């Protein structure tokens, strides 16, 4: 805290945020470990406010002298900047949730070797079990984070957390057929990561992929697997619950609090303490107490996510969703672990009752979705055709629609929960939707 | 070298490359210094070969223990990988060029303050001299690099170099007119960077930008400024002189050695020792002696660029153009400082003799050029209309063509030389081309 004392001479308010990250990993390419690596990074972000003028300085060190020097430079930055009349205050002292959090400290000491072995064993098994399979790409590794957020209003919180991940991308080549790439991944908050789930899931899908089926224009049943669902929600829906967009009037949910927006089967909340979360934080990046924030309760819209700045501007207050960019030092609004609540049926039951339909593993192009309207236009790839309750082959097709319409047409939700980190940070089930329009991919 | 000795136990051949980079910088946004920062990074890349199997490990440290541990992990990576039958050898001992290189060691000790002041003074002057101008974005900073490349064939070379840069992006708003963004930048290998060139050049262009002119479909004269020229050459031409593409048969220059490809006004070479170069290296990233490599001499194609691997595969040998990616550890082929030779006329003379035409500062979309054919389709923005030898207003238009055709239609080359670092690393003049087709931007 003596750094905060030191900085108070220069500012009305001051925040010092220190991030330490340790990464270990392996990159896989064309059936080989192309690279293994390890890195440790410390970044200190200084954000000071003087007379409603903000100054930010970032230094990749936690050395006291460097931070003091940084405070002085941040003060100079602030002095020359324009007033932000909307600036109110950094957060004050907080009461943090008293949650029990299991951390696996073993993650901290995993070596690159561990992931080299994991990847090599997985590749060996895939090549043995399917001679036509080729591991085109993938990665495996761990991250451990230690953060400390301090400010001049008495916030001073340290937290640590971490996770492991494994991801492979496999294609099959048989005669003239080159299958779409089959993707599978596992993300864990402990060291119990193994090759088995990823290998088995990919080989199971690859089996169907060699039979390529067409997809005609139609309106019908589709099942989105967790990654595909995460992609649409991350790009087409999540921005709409960002409080900054409410203030700026760029969200279709602006004045719809309390309205039924989705099927009552749909419940979505942000929950850093979900058992699958890999960042079970009690404080956000400004030191504000984190919490479980309901967004859609049985289809009814319950509220936006806020950081301190936009929460102050709107009068709603922060919901503990301040998320800092380490490249700009700025604090935006984000979900810590977005949960789409699971259902009660097994995925295999849902598939087995489907007379006709498609199962979609992933999309391409979801990033071009329009969060102002919820419209999306994506390519389903890889996708699988289902006939009489069975997967009969792989296919690729276009799917255009609107996330609000889609989430009204929910038929079933699986009892699966999968942790996703590539498209935001969340936990997703499989969902069966009815009356979805698809079209062949135009050549 | 004791690390190399240590590693030889595990490998037939071994390379250890250590990179230290120190960066200081400022980001400018909406008339303010949004952020200043400083960072120091050390990365060691270990590349070992055993029995034609390659293992790579990257660690962000130069600690002896970490490197030894990394050697062992790289050995394990290699062991499990497949043989690369094309692998021949790492480079052997080199004779480096005896060139006089001026380094400004002052760059090493520049502080963020220096760039905060530079940016603030530049913004103040721009806002004072043009009340309608707004600095939308920009950055300023310095980088200092210290590299050491060692291998088990006796290569052991240390080098250091650095540069400073300043870049602003300014729009003008007057009544209903919002001008295209005016971009200007300066890159230097010393500490004598000032606001003046960037500020004066932007304000001069902005003056014309408030008058917006249309652009009809036509075929005529256009002048490409250095940045616009660099964009087309980087994306549409430079890949074609990459030796890997010759081996893989994906360059239109494959069998055209000695042929006249361009106007005899066009001479292009790679020259790390050009006075404006900010990386005046004597060894490339594999420790191979760097040199000046002629690519097009008065329009005649003189040869490809090679690293050790592809140089060995083709039998041509390395031209000292091995460039390492610090994210994958792999060594590709790249230009160190691509020079398009300047001409003898001043830019203002060239403009003043033009009855009708356009001056183009930058392009959008050059990255989608096709290096297999040289085809490009870009939006010229910002661009300026020239009538009777004078700039009369700003405009935006489409320009589609082919880099090989374009570089045959050269009319004049300016005596300007500008250092560009955003689009590859090079030195470029202004060039006046005739018979270039342009079209209005479709709405």
């Amino acid at each position: 805290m003596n750094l905060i004392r030191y900085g108070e001479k220069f500012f009305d308010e001051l925040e010092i945020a220190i991030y330490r990250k340790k990464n270990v990993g392996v990159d896989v390419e064309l059936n080989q470990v192309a690279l293994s690596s390890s890195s440790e990074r410390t970044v200190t972000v200084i954000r000071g406010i003087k007379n409603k003028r903000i100054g930010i300085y970032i230094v990749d060190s936690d050395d006291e002298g460097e931070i003091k020097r940084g405070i002085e430079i941040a003060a100079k930055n602030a002095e020359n900047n324009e007033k932000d009349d909307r600036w109110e205050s950094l957060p004050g002292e907080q009461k943090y949730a008293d949650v029990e959090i299991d951390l696996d400290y073993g993650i901290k000491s995993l070596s690159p070797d561990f992931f080299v072995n994991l990847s090599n064993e997985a590749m060996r098994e895939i090549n043995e079990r399917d001679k036509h399979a080729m591991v085109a790409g993938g990665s495996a590794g761990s991250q451990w984070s230690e953060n400390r957020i301090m400010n001049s209003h008495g916030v001073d919180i340290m937290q640590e957390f971490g996770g492991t991940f494994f991801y492979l991308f496999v294609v099959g080549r048989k005669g003239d057929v080159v299958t779409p790439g089959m993707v599978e991944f596992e993300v864990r908050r402990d060291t119990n990561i193994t090759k088995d789930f990823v290998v088995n899931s990919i080989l199971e899908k690859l089996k169907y992929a060699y039979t390529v089926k067409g997809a005609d224009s139609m309106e019908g049943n589709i099942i989105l697997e967790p990654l595909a669902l995460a992609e649409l929600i991350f790009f087409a829906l999540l921005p709409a619950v960002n409080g900054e967009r409410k203030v700026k009037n760029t969200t279709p949910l602006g004045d719809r609090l309390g309205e039924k927006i989705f099927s009552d089967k749909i419940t979505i909340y942000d929950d850093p303490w979900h058992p699958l979360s890999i960042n079970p934080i009690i404080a956000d990046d400004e030191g504000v107490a984190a919490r479980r924030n309901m967004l859609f309760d049985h289809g009814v819209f319950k509220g936006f996510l806020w950081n301190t700045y936009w929460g102050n501007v709107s009068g709603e207050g922060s919901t503990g969703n301040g998320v800092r960019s380490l490249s700009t030092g700025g604090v935006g609004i984000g979900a810590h672990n977005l949960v789409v609540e699971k259902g009660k049926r097994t995925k295999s039951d849902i598939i087995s009752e489907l007379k006709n339909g498609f199962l979609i593993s992933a999309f391409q192009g979801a990033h071009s979705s329009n969060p102002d309207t919820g419209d999306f236009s994506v390519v389903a790839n890889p996708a699988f055709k289902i006939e009489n309750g069975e997967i009969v082959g792989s296919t690729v097709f276009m799917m255009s629609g609107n996330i609000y319409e889609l989430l009204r047409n929910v038929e079933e939700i699986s009892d699966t929960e999968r942790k996703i980190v590539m498209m935001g940070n969340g936990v997703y089930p499989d969902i069966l939707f009815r009356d979805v329009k698809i079209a062949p991919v135009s050549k």
Side-chain angles (χ1 to χ4, degrees), chain A:
Chain A
M1 282 298 280
N2 68 331
L3 285 169
I4 292 287
R5 288 285 155 273
Y6 178 80
E8 280 180 323
K9 291 187 287 189
F10 300 89
F11 291 109
D12 302 331
E13 297 180 277
L14 173 67
E15 174 183 75
I16 299 175
I18 304 173
Y19 297 85
R20 288 188 196 88
K21 281 187 205 306
K22 187 182 171 194
N23 290 283
V24 157
V26 159
D27 283 350
V28 166
E29 226 182 275
L30 303 177
N31 275 332
Q32 309 209 36
V33 169
L35 161 71
S36 59
S37 64
S38 77
S39 71
E40 283 191 58
R41 191 175 173 220
T42 298
V43 175
T44 299
V45 182
I46 296 155
R47 180 166 66 149
I49 300 93
K50 173 89 181 179
N51 212 354
K52 290 182 186 285
R53 295 169 209 266
I54 303 169
I56 295 179
Y57 183 75
I58 303 184
V59 59
D60 61 349
S61 161
D62 55 2
D63 172 79
E64 194 176 310
E66 292 276 351
I67 294 178
K68 284 186 172 169
R69 187 166 146 263
I71 288 170
E72 293 167 29
I73 300 174
K76 192 154 188 181
N77 291 352
E79 195 180 299
N80 284 288
N81 282 343
E82 280 164 47
K83 265 192 188 176
D84 180 349
D85 284 318
R86 295 201 283 197
W87 180 266
E88 219 160 278
S89 162
L90 289 171
E93 254 184 282
Q94 303 282 313
K95 195 171 152 23
Y96 297 112
D98 186 19
V99 285
E100 196 70 41
I101 293 166
D102 273 341
L103 291 178
D104 183 344
Y105 288 94
I107 294 171
K108 278 173 84 164
S109 46
L110 286 176
S111 85
D113 262 13
F114 176 83
F115 296 103
V116 171
N117 291 338
L118 177 71
S119 306
N120 278 323
E121 281 163 23
M123 288 189 285
R124 203 168 300 132
E125 182 171 339
I126 287 173
N127 290 316
E128 271 170 25
R129 285 174 54 190
D130 183 342
K131 281 191 302 290
H132 304 285
M134 196 209 25
V135 179
S139 58
S142 62
Q143 179 172 76
W144 190 261
S145 299
E146 295 175 10
N147 301 340
R148 182 174 182 185
I149 317 289
M150 301 177 268
N151 78 24
S152 55
H153 299 315
V155 164
D156 188 358
I157 173 92
M158 277 191 76
Q159 307 180 85
E160 49 186 347
F161 48 88
T164 53
F165 67 92
F166 182 35
Y167 145 77
L168 288 180
F169 178 75
V170 176
V171 295
R173 290 176 297 191
K174 196 184 273 182
D176 286 346
V177 177
V178 177
T179 70
M182 301 291 123
V183 174
E184 195 52 89
F185 58 89
E186 188 170 10
V187 181
R188 300 188 66 94
R189 65 197 272 178
D190 58 38
T191 56
N192 304 324
I193 197 156
T194 69
K195 67 180 189 321
D196 296 339
F197 174 76
V198 169
V199 167
N200 291 334
S201 167
I202 281 188
L203 289 174
E204 171 72 15
K205 286 182 178 171
L206 198 54
K207 219 168 59 186
Y208 305 114
Y210 294 107
T211 310
V212 179
K213 296 274 179 183
D216 296 329
S217 291
M218 62 143 232
E219 196 171 316
N221 300 306
I222 61 150
I223 301 170
L224 295 192
E225 289 194 328
L227 178 59
L229 182 63
E231 289 176 305
L232 287 190
I233 288 188
F234 181 68
F235 289 110
L237 177 62
L238 189 58
V241 301
N242 181 316
E244 177 177 353
R245 283 183 176 257
K246 173 161 167 54
V247 174
K248 293 182 170 172
N249 225 346
T250 58
T251 163
L253 295 172
D255 49 3
R256 305 191 63 188
L257 208 69
E259 269 184 52
K260 182 119 185 298
I261 308 287
F262 298 140
S263 154
D264 43 17
K265 296 193 178 82
I266 292 289
T267 292
I268 304 178
Y269 43 88
D270 185 33
D271 183 4
W273 309 316
H274 185 283
L276 296 184
S277 168
I278 56 167
N279 50 337
I281 53 168
I282 57 166
D284 74 359
D285 279 338
E286 302 181 293
V288 173
R291 63 204 72 172
R292 189 171 175 278
N293 284 303
M294 181 57 73
L295 296 168
F296 300 93
D297 189 2
H298 294 87
V300 176
F301 179 48
K302 290 299 198 179
F304 294 92
L305 300 177
W306 301 97
N307 62 3
T308 301
Y309 181 87
W310 291 107
N312 283 341
V313 168
S314 69
E316 302 273 335
S318 174
T319 52
N321 287 94
V323 174
R324 193 182 315 264
S325 153
L326 291 191
S327 56
T328 69
V331 176
I333 297 174
H336 301 300
N337 182 54
L338 192 76
V339 179
V340 175
E341 212 168 62
K342 63 182 174 178
K344 291 186 174 132
R345 307 287 310 280
T346 66
K347 182 180 177 183
S348 52
D349 275 0
I350 296 174
I351 293 177
S352 72
E353 288 168 13
L354 213 58
K355 197 165 163 351
N356 254 298
F358 294 94
L359 173 75
I360 300 175
S361 292
F363 287 119
Q364 286 160 359
H367 61 276
S368 63
S369 302
N370 183 349
D372 295 357
T373 59
D375 289 341
F376 58 80
S377 175
V378 288
V379 174
N381 181 11
F384 301 88
K385 199 165 192 329
I386 298 171
E387 284 172 13
N388 300 314
E390 285 189 5
I391 295 175
V392 295
S394 70
T395 184
V396 170
F397 54 83
M398 293 283 304
M399 185 175 135
S400 299
N402 179 284
I403 192 76
Y404 297 97
E405 246 171 71
L406 187 72
L407 290 172
R408 275 197 293 272
N409 291 347
V410 173
E411 192 71 38
E412 292 272 14
I413 302 185
S414 78
D415 62 359
T416 322
E417 283 190 314
R418 298 293 314 284
K419 174 69 194 170
I420 307 271
V421 290
M422 296 96 116
M423 295 293 144
N425 211 330
V427 173
Y428 297 84
D430 310 84
I431 304 188
L432 168 61
F433 299 94
R434 58 173 183 274
D435 305 334
V436 178
K437 284 197 189 87
I438 71 158
V441 175
S442 49
K443 304 279 168 168

